Amino acid sequence: MSRTARWRLGLGASAVLLATAALPAPAHAEDVTDYAITVDPSATGPKIDKTMYGVFFEDINRAADGGLYAELVQNRSFEYSTADNASYTPLTAWTVSGTARVVDDSGRLNDRNRAYLSLAAGSSVTNAGYNTGVAVRDGEKYDFSVWARAEAGSTLAVTLQDAGGALADARRIAVKKSGWTRYKATFTATRTSTAGRLTVAADAATALDMVSLFPRDTYKHEPNGLRKDLAEKIAALSPGFVRFPGGCLVNTGSMQDYSEGSGWQRKRSYQWKDTIGPVETRATNANFWGYNQSYGLGYYEYFRFAEDIGAMPLPVVPALVTGCGQNKAVVDDALLKRHIQDTLDLIEFANGPATSEWGKKRAEMGHPEPFHLTHIEVGNEENLPHEFFARFQQFRAAVKAKYPSVQVISNSGPDDAGATFDTAWKLNRDARVDMVDEHYYNSPQWFLQHNDRYDSYDRSGPKVFLGEYASQGNAFKNGLAEAAFMTGLERNADVVKLASYAPLFANEDYVQWSPDLVWFNNHASWNSANYEVQKLFMTNVGDRVVPSTATGTPSLSGPLTGAIGLSTWNTGAAYDDVKVTAADGGTLFGDDFSGDASRWTHTGTGSWTVRDGSYVQTDDTAENTMVQAGDPSWHDYDLHVKATKKSGKEGFLVAFGVKDTGNYYWWNLGGWNNTQSAVEQATDGGKSTLLAKAGSVETGRAYDIDIKVRGRQVTLYLDGKEWGSFADDKPAEPFRQVVTRDAKTGELIVKVVNAQSAAARTSVDLGGARVASTAKVTTLAAAPEAVNTETSTAVAPKTSTFTGVAGKFTYTFPANSVTFLRIKQK
């Protein structure tokens, strides 16, 4: 192939490589460019739906309680338990002065709110809030409420203070003798603090539940509203849809309800009926991510928020096949039928008239008008495709029978490729499913390499919902890679109908997953570099692709090089008989561990020793225990290893092509809680899956592992049988573009990503289009490692005007930049 190649992009059809030449420009040659973009305004590209880009909200990283849900009191209903987190007690986040105990008896507020606090006379409890405390702003109002009862009556003294003293005037509440009653008071903050504490004291024995403090200034609605700054950041994206509530929350845990009949199961899948009605009657649940979810933010609030920001609601319901490492198909026909009926009831709750059973419940909550639900998703990342699809078809049949206009979305498992992915797609394609949800989290290099992913998808098959994706980091280099990939999503808008980055939110003090789009604490929030990329695309979509071409980079050449490595992940394992043989049969390396391990360098965690003629890693709680050996310049070789799992959750990892601690390939056997094996590539610390298959590793069994590297082709053998092969020969293309048309403004939008350290002087040919001489320019440009923080915004858009537009013109796209040119057509 020539030194550069041109991608022919037209009408959403598959890309075709056409040879061309475009060499870097000499400094003195003004008429020579690095790249060329050619636009064909006479051709008609795919239509882009208004719902193309959206957001995915899952309660992960304290995204709901302590995040978007504006409640300032943590564990307000004393429901925390070891079912949520091993460190929890019913008084987590509370301190007691005097005598107080949490009670679960017939005196409770209601059956679904089972625990309450018994506070002795002269005693008090103080809540620590989230992060550093209860955050208040000078002059702002805060609404306090509590459910209380006192057999002989009592007076509550409610105070808001920090280490510096009172933050508002104290309030006194008289509790009557009668049963449970809700009492209210309002505080006005007299100064700003991020370390407030809310204290409730009683002068007589009193029962308390649902101790609440809400900012009056919430997003659009109060009470029970949303935290304003976080909601506004979502609204500023102008999302076309909101996918909720998960994610792993949907397809993990018990599928039973929260009732006496099920034993009040706390570790349940997210079920929508648990989350509506008065907040004091909503069930509590253990969150898959290791904390409690109160369901104060529930389905009604999700629907209302989507409506407020003009987005399509897209709920996800359980398919009765667990995932996210649990991987179990629930076999219970009655339970399956109940969940299918719940799904039908959900559609009625969203769309039914106020006279219907569930439409009436929506109206009682304050919204008599329907929410206009048009899409619903069944399941999330199921790793058992046949079991999932058998259940999915029953959901789809029931929905289509009663609500034929509602699109029912399926999924393709947790990875971008592999046996599960291929099987799921075949099942979906054969059944003519409306839309398939794909998820993947890969390295920036993967996203730069796979801009063409959807060019070859079947135009007549199911549409794609890219429901979760992100490169592995919040630096600007990650945003650049995602931006490059998004040009491919738009180019294929006839196939990719919906797309959402994930996850959306992270509270900086409660992180289970990173990267995330928006970061926050109890008093501030800030946009990641990835957010700025998403916002630029989401607010400049256009409504139709204009076919265009751009010069690019040839396929990779030269052999795959690197040393070797051994590792484990939450597993103890023994390795022996390591041999590296050159293609000509010569020995490059050998170690039978009859002596010491001096030829190996320990670069990871864990504990390695030579024992009984094997190299043994004994810490089965350590992650990535890598040891390395050999020469990084090795190429065209055969690697043999004998491996035996000794203990732990997973299998073993054999590395090759090792450059350094952040750049290598490894064969991960028995990964993902010993459910599958895969080849992963690490690039600058971020990993991508190149090849994956279901399978597990047996404890105590010795496996023969052989890896053959020839050029850029790799073949893998397990116990003498070929397991799989791949060729790593795709370029990580740094220069990507797409052009769309905005019919409303009459503008061409030229979108260019230059993910390299040099500026790209580019000739742009608008194909004879008559255009104005000026363009509105929005540019994101920063150092690749730049990261936004609470106190520093290194990545932010800059707007300008370019006056050199013509039918043919030259523009220099800055190094490490995303640039949008909005050009008015005459």
Side-chain angles (χ1 to χ4, degrees), residues 7 15 449-456 491-492 730 736:
W7 287 96
Q449 287 177 318
H450 288 84
N451 174 274
D452 64 341
R453 175 178 176 88
Y454 297 106
D455 289 354
S456 58
R491 185 175 67 249
N492 291 286
K730 293 192 72 170
R736 295 293 190 185

Side-chain angles (χ1 to χ4, degrees), residues 8-9 38-44 546-549 741 765-767:
R8 175 64 182 166
L9 314 172
T38 303
V39 183
D40 185 358
S42 64
T44 302
V546 181
S548 59
T549 66
R741 179 183 284 114
D765 183 347
L766 296 179

Side-chain angles (χ1 to χ4, degrees), residues 615-626:
Y615 202 14
V616 183
Q617 199 291 115
T618 55
D619 185 348
D620 60 13
T621 64
E623 298 179 347
N624 193 3
T625 63
M626 180 84 83

Side-chain angles (χ1 to χ4, degrees), residues 319-580:
L320 274 71
V321 177
T322 57
C324 301
Q326 296 183 1
N327 300 336
K328 180 181 178 181
V330 178
V331 181
D332 184 331
D333 286 342
L335 188 58
L336 176 61
K337 288 176 182 177
R338 193 268 286 175
H339 275 267
I340 291 172
Q341 185 59 50
D342 281 355
T343 301
L344 298 175
D345 293 344
L346 171 60
I347 299 172
E348 183 179 290
F349 176 78
N351 295 349
T355 55
S356 65
E357 178 185 359
W358 292 98
K360 181 180 180 181
K361 293 184 184 297
R362 181 195 68 237
E364 289 170 349
M365 294 184 72
H367 201 286
E369 302 82 12
F371 283 118
H372 307 294
L373 176 67
T374 59
H375 293 65
I376 194 165
E377 183 172 356
V378 177
N380 171 75
E381 295 188 9
E382 281 73 26
N383 236 328
L384 302 173
H386 291 287
E387 292 86 343
F388 160 74
F389 202 72
R391 290 156 180 78
F392 169 83
Q393 285 185 299
Q394 295 185 58
F395 278 87
R396 183 174 69 150
V399 171
K400 288 295 186 182
K402 191 169 184 179
Y403 302 104
S405 65
V406 173
Q407 282 203 33
V408 185
I409 301 172
S410 181
N411 74 79
S412 59
D415 298 310
D416 62 88
T420 296
F421 178 89
D422 292 340
T423 300
W425 255 105
K426 184 179 189 308
L427 292 167
N428 285 307
R429 191 179 297 110
D430 290 348
R432 303 185 66 82
V433 167
D434 292 330
M435 191 176 293
V436 177
D437 188 0
E438 295 188 353
H439 294 178
Y440 37 82
Y441 298 91
N442 291 320
S443 68
Q445 175 168 302
W446 186 95
F447 283 95
L448 292 175
Q449 287 177 318
H450 288 84
N451 174 274
D452 64 341
R453 175 178 176 88
Y454 297 106
D455 289 354
S456 58
Y457 268 50
D458 181 2
R459 265 52 201 169
S460 64
K463 303 305 180 184
V464 172
F465 173 22
L466 181 50
E468 297 183 32
Y469 74 98
S471 70
Q472 294 153 340
N474 277 141
F476 188 49
K477 66 182 181 183
N478 300 97
L480 284 170
E482 291 153 7
F485 190 73
M486 292 171 80
T487 66
L489 299 183
E490 291 192 7
R491 185 175 67 249
N492 291 286
D494 56 330
V495 169
V496 183
K497 307 304 288 184
L498 307 169
S500 51
Y501 180 101
L504 179 58
F505 283 128
N507 185 319
E508 66 174 350
D509 291 334
Y510 309 93
V511 180
Q512 294 88 42
W513 185 286
S514 182
D516 303 281
L517 205 62
V518 175
W519 290 78
F520 66 92
N521 51 36
N522 65 349
H523 63 279
S525 58
W526 54 99
N527 304 331
S528 67
N530 318 68
Y531 175 98
E532 297 297 348
V533 166
Q534 292 290 323
K535 185 178 179 182
L536 187 56
F537 275 84
M538 292 169 77
T539 56
N540 293 276
V541 182
D543 46 50
R544 191 169 289 279
V545 175
V546 181
S548 59
T549 66
T551 50
T553 304
S555 296
L556 296 176
S557 59
L560 188 155
T561 61
I564 63 169
L566 308 172
S567 188
T568 60
W569 198 287
N570 289 331
T571 304
Y575 294 93
D576 199 1
D577 296 334
V578 179
K579 299 174 185 176
V580 182

